[in-house]
Amino acid sequence: MAYQPVTSQPGQATWMPVPSAPPGCPPGLEYMTQIDQLLVKQQVELLEAFTGFETNNKYKIMNSQGQKVYFAAEDNDCCSRQCCGNIRSFEMKIMDNSQNEVIHLSRPLRCMHCMWVCCLQELEVQSPPGTTVGWVKQTWHPFLPKFVVQSAAGETVLTIEGPCLNCSFCGDVEFDVMSADETSKVGKISKQWSGLAREMFTDADNFGIQFPMDLDVKVKACLLGAVFLIDFMFFEQVGNQEQQNTVW
């Protein structure tokens, strides 16, 4: 499908222009070649805010200039959303300006408990859909949220480590992105404070991601996927109670 520019309305963010794709770049990931940070903004669902009825999550993904890069939408059934809460499995479609699905995220249903190694979380990242480019997998730790980012071949390329407490009143909650051997920090994922009313009455969150400009676009796609796994695990409401005390 040929790229068709989207004309923005007054007050709305414009779409990021499509850059040239380098050789071997999966279709849709060429945007990532010119990006070293992203802002992921969850859309506020009024039905969910006023009734507590869980709806499919939707997100705008923007660059540092406020231009829209992608749009992400959860694809899930009503029963899973209402009965399984934040541990629910999901399929997440990430689409470009032309509404082509360029990244697909898949999370299986697993319980969350720090003492059960068999319940560690994972997320498969595909780009284009059907072609696995990497994984985000939780690793066991007694009190810290820790993850590894792996290539499609299962090789660990990055690690992610969060704080013991995943709440910070009027401040950001930061997850450090580290090298594979955990000796150097190369970026971070930040859950950003979005205001008292929004924090109390909705689970619509804002996240920022920072990573090296020259990082492999497939690894960047995996870090984007890590945002959604972290959001569901630690910041998604269960009923009207958000997971805000500890990582478990």
Side-chain angles (χ1 to χ4, degrees), residues 65-160:
Q65 299 178 349
Q67 296 172 317
K68 290 185 285 186
V69 182
Y70 300 118
F71 177 79
E74 178 188 0
D75 184 10
N76 218 330
D77 61 89
C78 179
C79 182
S80 294
R81 295 196 307 270
Q82 308 314 316
C83 298
C84 299
N86 67 331
I87 68 169
R88 66 184 182 265
S89 63
F90 66 74
E91 305 295 321
M92 187 78 68
K93 297 180 179 180
I94 301 180
M95 294 163 283
D96 64 7
N97 184 13
S98 301
Q99 298 187 22
N100 297 317
E101 186 181 2
V102 297
I103 304 173
H104 188 91
L105 309 176
S106 182
R107 179 203 186 187
L109 174 64
R110 288 184 179 175
C111 295
M112 290 194 297
H113 195 289
C114 64
M115 301 307 295
W116 295 350
V117 178
C118 62
C119 294
L120 297 178
Q121 303 294 304
E122 68 177 35
L123 182 81
E124 181 184 5
V125 183
Q126 302 174 1
S127 183
T131 301
T132 301
V133 296
W135 302 80
V136 181
K137 296 184 178 182
Q138 183 185 13
T139 58
W140 187 87
H141 195 281
F143 55 87
L144 290 178
K146 297 191 68 173
F147 304 85
V148 293
V149 177
Q150 296 181 338
S151 67
E155 178 185 1
T156 296
V157 292
L158 293 173
T159 61
I160 303 172

Side-chain angles (χ1 to χ4, degrees), residues 4-247:
Q4 298 292 332
V6 173
T7 303
S8 62
Q9 300 298 321
Q12 290 185 342
T14 58
W15 283 88
M16 177 181 173
V18 182
S20 300
C25 179
L29 294 193
E30 60 269 16
Y31 296 94
M32 295 288 196
T33 62
Q34 299 186 0
I35 289 173
D36 61 359
Q37 52 185 307
L38 287 168
L39 177 64
V40 181
K41 296 177 66 71
Q42 186 176 352
Q43 294 186 340
V44 177
E45 300 291 342
L46 294 180
L47 175 64
E48 186 172 340
F50 286 106
T51 68
F53 184 86
E54 187 70 28
T55 59
N56 278 326
N57 289 356
K58 299 177 181 178
Y59 307 81
K60 293 180 181 178
I61 303 168
M62 297 179 289
N63 62 17
S64 59
Q65 299 178 349
Q67 296 172 317
K68 290 185 285 186
V69 182
Y70 300 118
F71 177 79
E74 178 188 0
D75 184 10
N76 218 330
D77 61 89
C78 179
C79 182
S80 294
R81 295 196 307 270
Q82 308 314 316
C83 298
C84 299
N86 67 331
I87 68 169
R88 66 184 182 265
S89 63
F90 66 74
E91 305 295 321
M92 187 78 68
K93 297 180 179 180
I94 301 180
M95 294 163 283
D96 64 7
N97 184 13
S98 301
Q99 298 187 22
N100 297 317
E101 186 181 2
V102 297
I103 304 173
H104 188 91
L105 309 176
S106 182
R107 179 203 186 187
L109 174 64
R110 288 184 179 175
C111 295
M112 290 194 297
H113 195 289
C114 64
M115 301 307 295
W116 295 350
V117 178
C118 62
C119 294
L120 297 178
Q121 303 294 304
E122 68 177 35
L123 182 81
E124 181 184 5
V125 183
Q126 302 174 1
S127 183
T131 301
T132 301
V133 296
W135 302 80
V136 181
K137 296 184 178 182
Q138 183 185 13
T139 58
W140 187 87
H141 195 281
F143 55 87
L144 290 178
K146 297 191 68 173
F147 304 85
V148 293
V149 177
Q150 296 181 338
S151 67
E155 178 185 1
T156 296
V157 292
L158 293 173
T159 61
I160 303 172
E161 182 176 308
C164 180
L165 299 179
N166 65 331
C167 61
S168 179
F169 187 73
C170 296
D172 295 348
V173 181
E174 294 189 352
F175 292 72
D176 292 332
V177 179
M178 310 289 290
S179 59
D181 58 6
E182 302 185 44
T183 59
S184 60
K185 181 178 176 179
V186 300
K188 66 179 179 179
I189 296 172
S190 303
K191 194 272 186 180
Q192 300 175 334
W193 173 256
S194 54
L196 182 62
R198 183 164 177 167
E199 293 286 341
M200 289 182 62
F201 298 111
T202 77
D203 59 354
D205 300 316
N206 294 333
F207 287 86
I209 322 172
Q210 296 180 14
F211 39 64
M213 182 72 77
D214 60 355
L215 189 66
D216 188 308
V217 293
K218 297 177 183 179
V219 180
K220 291 181 179 181
C222 289
L223 286 177
L224 177 58
V227 169
F228 299 106
L229 183 59
I230 288 171
D231 183 28
F232 272 79
M233 288 181 64
F234 306 125
F235 303 105
E236 181 79 358
Q237 290 181 349
V238 180
N240 289 320
Q241 299 297 320
E242 193 169 354
Q243 305 295 302
Q244 286 281 9
N245 296 322
T246 69
V247 297

